[in-house]
Amino acid sequence: LTNFLPSIRVDNFYLVVFTESGETTFLEMIANPFKPFTPEAWGLIVAGMLLAAGSMAIIDFHDDEDFPYEASSYLWRIGKAFYIGMFSLMSGASTFRSSSLASKVLSLGFQLFLV
């Protein structure tokens, strides 16, 4: 949305989790956002992100915008693609710059994964 237009409709979502009364430690406060999903679900999310990162690093091998260095290794490219994927996951939109048809199709699949 742009800053100069008002929203037409706004949907408010609330995440309800059970809390325990008493003293909470710092580690418990850090773990609270991860409680709504099981560790298996988080493992599947990370596996999907690694699959998308590996695919994007291989398909967009000649992409100079996301991967500006020619002599970079696949491990570095997968790491950067994983970072871009995690940034996309947290922002709710794909931040990959797709240059070829294959990368556009992969980016569309990744965006559906984000939903």
Side-chain angles (χ1 to χ4, degrees), residues 39-91:
E40 292 84 12
W42 285 113
L44 287 174
I45 290 171
V46 170
M49 297 296 296
L50 285 173
L51 179 68
S55 303
M56 194 60 81
I58 292 170
I59 289 175
D60 269 357
F61 187 73
H62 298 292
D63 183 17
D64 292 337
E65 292 183 25
D66 285 336
F67 308 104
Y69 306 111
E70 282 288 327
S72 60
S73 67
Y74 275 113
L75 185 62
W76 184 87
R77 295 171 70 83
I78 290 172
K80 184 164 182 186
F82 184 74
Y83 168 75
I84 293 172
M86 289 303 291
F87 185 74
S88 300
L89 180 67
M90 297 303 162
S91 66

Side-chain angles (χ1 to χ4, degrees), residues 6-114:
S7 299
I8 295 173
R9 180 179 170 188
V10 175
D11 291 329
N12 294 323
F13 293 96
Y14 298 98
L15 179 64
V16 178
V17 294
F18 296 106
T19 59
E20 299 174 3
S21 61
E23 189 69 29
T24 57
T25 65
F26 179 72
L27 290 176
E28 289 174 348
M29 290 184 351
I30 296 296
N32 277 337
F34 300 104
K35 284 185 179 178
F37 299 110
T38 63
E40 292 84 12
W42 285 113
L44 287 174
I45 290 171
V46 170
M49 297 296 296
L50 285 173
L51 179 68
S55 303
M56 194 60 81
I58 292 170
I59 289 175
D60 269 357
F61 187 73
H62 298 292
D63 183 17
D64 292 337
E65 292 183 25
D66 285 336
F67 308 104
Y69 306 111
E70 282 288 327
S72 60
S73 67
Y74 275 113
L75 185 62
W76 184 87
R77 295 171 70 83
I78 290 172
K80 184 164 182 186
F82 184 74
Y83 168 75
I84 293 172
M86 289 303 291
F87 185 74
S88 300
L89 180 67
M90 297 303 162
S91 66
S94 180
T95 55
F96 285 107
R97 295 183 189 101
S98 303
S99 57
S100 66
L101 179 62
S103 64
K104 289 178 183 178
V105 170
L106 182 65
S107 181
L108 178 65
F110 181 67
Q111 290 175 8
L112 291 174
F113 173 75
L114 291 178

